Amino acid sequence: MRIASGAGRRLLVVVGAMTLAATALLQAPAGAQAQGAGRSVEVAGTLTRLTPIGSGNLRAIANRGRAARHAGGDRRGVIADLLGVGLPGGTAEATPNPGSVPVVASTPGLRGFAGLRAADNGTESNPEPPDQALCVGNGQVMEGVNAALTVYSTNGTQQIPVVSLNDFFGPPPDIPGGQLIVSIVFDPSCQFDQQVRRWFVVATEFDLDLQSGTLTGSHLFLAVSKTADATGDYAVFVVNTTAGDPTDQGCPCFDDFPTIGADAHGFFVTTNRKTLSTGQGNGAQLYAVAKRGLAAAAAGTGPPPVLVSFDAGSVGGAPAAAVHPAITPPGGAFPPNRQYFLSMANAASTAHHRIAVWALSNTSSLDSAHPRLRLSHAVLETLPYARPPKTVQKPGPHPLGRSVGEPVRPLDSGLEIPRQVTFAAGRLWTSIDTAVGPQGGPKRTGVLWLVVTPTFDDRQVGGRVSRQGYLAVATNSLLYSAVAVNARGVGAMVLSLAGPTTFPSAAYAQIRGGRVSGPVRVMARGVRPYDAESCYRAFVGDEALARGCRWGDYSAARADRAGSGWPPSTFPISPGPGWPTGAPSSAGWRAITS
């Protein structure tokens, strides 16, 4: 991501400390096999208690931030991407070449509202890529992008001003005093839990030493609402992630790309642990905590519950990464006493045909002082998928690029990893962005969608891919997909539509009858190429050429209890000089799917 710094720097001081406790054992029988070449192993985890660092009212924080900005407060410029690393490999020749579906305008019955813009969002920062958080419940919709969030009613009325993530979470409690340190909070994710009726907001953070220009530490933030009102009071907790754990190498480290999920007993966060110095990956880190204990601690009626932290281990001969927890839609049944996850099952390469299904079982023990959890995974065969190529943009006005004498650049199309996972009607729904195109011919990006039917036999997860297929359009690409279905398995897959004949646009495809089907329907039509600093060598060096414009890392979509889908595509734009004022960067849309 690109981060913000500069004027308005603050001196942060120590206000608390983290205390580690004992080691917990996540028990599982070594060597047990499951359908699909699975295994179940013992994993050591660390027990700790979340450190509470304060509380506040989201509406009040938003109003204070707006007043400070109107008074000429903190406005930060953009600094270089400190953690940017080129993506390994390239697009394989053996890519799928599915047929194309048409692209049409939105259907009647679809209504929407403009969501957050990554630039001009009223906060002090302007990061790239503006990854999207989205959750819905209690008649409210919370949306975030990198460095900011806000809350809407389900008719699109914005209920509070845009809030800086830094203002919402506050500084971490253990930054050394006497140093000029900037705390940078990014990669938000959120969820409204239907059982405890609380909002959970997670983000990661690192500490930037302004004098040396180095990253000195990192934290994982968790905010839990005290009531069902998304704009009300929250308690904030923190985990210091700087030192990593005994399985990590090259620390100090940070937890990138936090994703969240929940079952009937626990709240779960998964991250990709990386080194602060180079961005080198240490594999997937998993966190598990009792969600009712979190709700009680937030309300002040109980102590912070025990948090179990552990490395996910290896899968397919390489450290696990992008292990995405499942979300159960409102009205849906949670899996019994376990949480499911999906991930890639191959070492980094250009072509794939497998995924991994995971189960963390005995989650009811999270309510005890000494949780005894079991982790297992199984590898399942899928249709082929491959590393997406960069997406060529349609030529058009790009004043920022012109100002430095550079042409319109392609978009970074991301990685071939399972994205948002939903557990509904006994199945796991997800999607993977993939290269598509004829062998020996030009490649573009499409989507492999998957429906996985998991199985579980006391200690070992298994399963099968019960339905799968591709979604692709002619000439252009489909980027950063996210699947949301309701409890009946009806919903939408949202994505960005872009390419040589279409400016970046927000789009979706319907999910009915257990399948993703065309046509691709445009929700918000783009009007210009993406024109931001990550696109140009003048600002980010050779990364602009190697990686392309930082269009996004992830999208979000949710379903509400009434059966209506909420498919805002990330449409992840930092408008900058190249976009007209008010151009949407993400959009909240209500698709009638009953």
Side-chain angles (χ1 to χ4, degrees):
M1 63 167 291
R2 292 182 61 80
I3 55 178
S5 183
R9 296 165 179 166
R10 295 176 292 177
L11 179 66
L12 306 183
V13 297
V14 176
V15 296
M18 183 81 176
T19 302
L20 293 179
T23 296
L25 187 65
L26 284 77
Q27 295 185 335
Q33 297 296 311
Q35 178 183 357
R39 66 176 185 145
S40 183
V41 297
E42 293 185 353
V43 183
T46 299
L47 282 181
T48 187
R49 288 195 182 274
L50 286 164
T51 300
I53 61 170
S55 61
N57 181 276
L58 185 57
R59 185 183 297 276
I61 295 169
N63 288 329
R64 285 198 302 269
R66 177 173 61 178
R69 289 189 294 272
H70 287 176
D74 189 13
R75 296 289 296 182
R76 302 175 183 173
V78 176
I79 68 171
D81 189 346
L82 299 173
L83 299 174
V85 291
L87 300 180
T91 302
E93 283 301 309
T95 56
N97 187 27
S100 298
V101 301
V103 177
V104 301
S106 297
T107 55
L110 182 93
R111 60 186 179 87
F113 56 88
L116 277 174
R117 294 184 299 275
D120 190 29
N121 61 12
T123 71
E124 73 275 15
S125 55
N126 178 25
E128 293 178 63
D131 303 320
Q132 187 190 35
L134 183 77
C135 44
V136 58
N138 194 38
Q140 296 173 296
V141 180
M142 178 181 288
E143 187 192 17
V145 292
N146 266 333
L149 62 82
T150 194
V151 177
Y152 306 92
S153 66
T154 53
N155 66 10
T157 301
Q158 189 171 338
Q159 297 185 341
I160 58 172
V162 176
V163 180
S164 158
L165 293 183
N166 278 64
D167 288 343
F168 179 41
F169 289 104
D174 47 11
I175 293 178
Q179 300 180 37
L180 285 172
I181 304 289
V182 170
S183 174
I184 300 167
V185 188
F186 59 99
D187 277 2
S189 187
C190 67
Q191 177 68 9
F192 178 77
D193 188 83
Q194 59 179 305
Q195 285 186 319
V196 299
R197 295 189 58 78
R198 296 292 182 269
W199 299 83
F200 298 87
V201 187
V202 172
T204 198
E205 179 267 359
F206 48 62
D207 313 324
L208 174 65
D209 187 319
L210 297 175
Q211 293 178 318
S212 65
T214 59
L215 300 174
T216 60
S218 67
H219 301 79
L220 186 69
F221 283 115
L222 168 61
V224 183
S225 69
K226 299 184 179 184
T227 69
D229 180 8
T231 69
D233 294 331
Y234 285 78
V236 178
F237 305 89
V238 70
V239 178
N240 190 324
T241 54
T242 307
D245 63 28
T247 68
D248 295 318
Q249 299 178 352
C251 290
C253 293
F254 77 107
D255 279 6
D256 195 21
F257 187 28
T259 56
I260 61 179
D263 72 354
H265 307 285
F267 178 76
F268 309 94
V269 182
T270 65
T271 68
N272 294 319
R273 182 154 288 169
K274 299 178 180 179
T275 64
L276 280 172
S277 58
T278 66
Q280 181 67 34
N282 270 314
Q285 193 75 13
L286 275 65
Y287 299 91
V289 63
K291 69 180 183 183
R292 289 181 177 81
L294 275 178
T301 59
V306 167
L307 175 75
V308 184
S309 170
F310 55 97
D311 185 279
S314 297
V315 59
V323 180
H324 212 130
I327 294 169
T328 299
F334 290 104
N337 202 24
R338 56 187 172 267
Q339 169 69 13
Y340 288 120
F341 309 76
L342 291 175
S343 78
M344 267 178 55
N346 299 68
S349 65
T350 56
H352 309 271
H353 57 88
R354 300 186 301 167
I355 62 167
V357 58
W358 303 70
L360 185 66
S361 58
N362 198 30
T363 56
S364 60
S365 70
L366 287 168
D367 291 315
S368 70
H370 301 284
R372 301 184 69 85
L373 306 173
R374 293 185 292 271
L375 181 68
S376 63
H377 76 260
V379 176
L380 311 178
E381 295 290 320
T382 71
L383 290 171
Y385 59 99
R387 173 70 46 81
K390 289 183 287 188
T391 295
V392 174
Q393 292 200 76
K394 178 181 177 181
H398 62 296
L400 181 61
R402 286 184 180 275
S403 72
V404 293
E406 297 189 41
V408 173
R409 300 286 191 198
L411 301 176
D412 171 16
S413 302
L415 293 171
E416 67 287 22
I417 58 176
R419 298 193 175 273
Q420 181 173 299
V421 179
T422 302
F423 179 78
R427 297 180 176 89
L428 297 164
W429 306 70
T430 193
S431 60
I432 300 174
D433 298 339
T434 177
V436 295
Q439 185 170 355
K443 304 296 189 295
R444 61 197 192 280
T445 300
V447 181
L448 169 64
W449 57 267
L450 300 165
V451 182
V452 175
T453 302
T455 60
F456 193 80
D457 61 359
D458 183 44
R459 291 178 178 269
Q460 173 64 57
V461 71
R464 61 187 178 88
V465 177
S466 50
R467 290 173 182 168
Q468 58 185 322
Y470 296 105
L471 187 73
V473 298
T475 308
N476 297 301
S477 288
L478 303 174
L479 312 175
Y480 296 104
S481 57
V483 168
V485 293
N486 62 22
R488 295 182 290 113
V490 177
M493 179 169 71
V494 303
L495 29 76
S496 293
L497 170 70
T501 65
T502 300
F503 294 126
S505 304
Y508 74 102
Q510 290 181 302
I511 300 175
R512 291 179 181 275
R515 298 181 178 276
V516 178
S517 60
V520 169
R521 303 183 182 275
V522 177
M523 295 187 288
R525 180 73 65 176
V527 296
R528 295 184 185 177
Y530 185 52
D531 181 39
E533 288 165 335
S534 67
C535 298
Y536 304 116
R537 177 181 262 168
F539 299 103
V540 297
D542 289 341
E543 185 185 350
L545 305 181
R547 188 167 191 169
C549 306
R550 292 305 313 278
W551 182 245
D553 281 333
Y554 56 94
S555 301
R558 292 291 187 270
D560 69 19
R561 181 176 291 274
S564 301
W566 279 94
S569 169
T570 286
F571 202 38
I573 295 168
S574 294
W579 282 78
T581 301
S585 63
S586 60
W589 298 90
R590 186 176 185 181
I592 306 303
T593 59
S594 57

